Amino acid sequence: MTITVLKIGKFGAEVLDLEQRLAAQGFQVGAQEGYFDEELKDALEQFQATHLGKNGKPLKVDGEVLVGGNATWWALLHPSGSAQRTTVPLRHCSDR
């Protein structure tokens, strides 16, 4: 099994899947072309800052995700539920 870390510069179907998952939850990801750019990294960091992992602990905010293998990926697959969200407010791109 190949382990894929999605981060700046990566491209392909897995990045497109990440973009679609974030966009479906209201995060601004840009054109959804399957390319991991700064806008996607910002959206992922916002997601990480406002969600919890399976263990109930805050996610590591690093703008990267290990497909199928870390707390961020789990949170992307389980996006809803009050126990899953933190109380950190969502930051809009214009706040930067």
Side-chain angles (χ1 to χ4, degrees):
M1 179 176 172
T2 303
I3 302 295
T4 304
V5 177
L6 301 181
K7 58 185 177 180
I8 292 286
K10 293 285 188 173
F11 61 91
E14 291 171 322
V15 176
L16 184 59
D17 182 41
L18 172 62
E19 289 172 321
Q20 292 169 344
R21 289 179 186 279
L22 289 170
Q25 294 181 53
F27 293 90
Q28 296 178 354
V29 298
Q32 295 185 41
E33 297 173 334
Y35 180 73
F36 201 122
D37 58 11
E38 285 291 334
E39 190 170 12
L40 181 56
K41 181 181 179 194
D42 287 346
L44 182 57
E45 287 176 344
Q46 289 177 38
F47 176 87
Q48 290 172 325
T50 58
H51 285 76
L52 303 172
K54 185 176 184 177
N55 60 5
K57 295 182 181 179
L59 300 175
K60 180 179 179 182
V61 180
D62 60 3
E64 297 181 1
V65 60
L66 177 64
V67 175
N70 68 1
T72 296
W73 189 253
W74 179 88
L76 285 163
L77 296 178
H78 302 86
S80 62
S82 60
Q84 214 279 357
R85 277 200 177 264
T86 70
T87 58
V88 178
L90 177 64
R91 178 178 47 86
H92 297 285
C93 290
S94 61
D95 292 345
R96 233 177 177 193

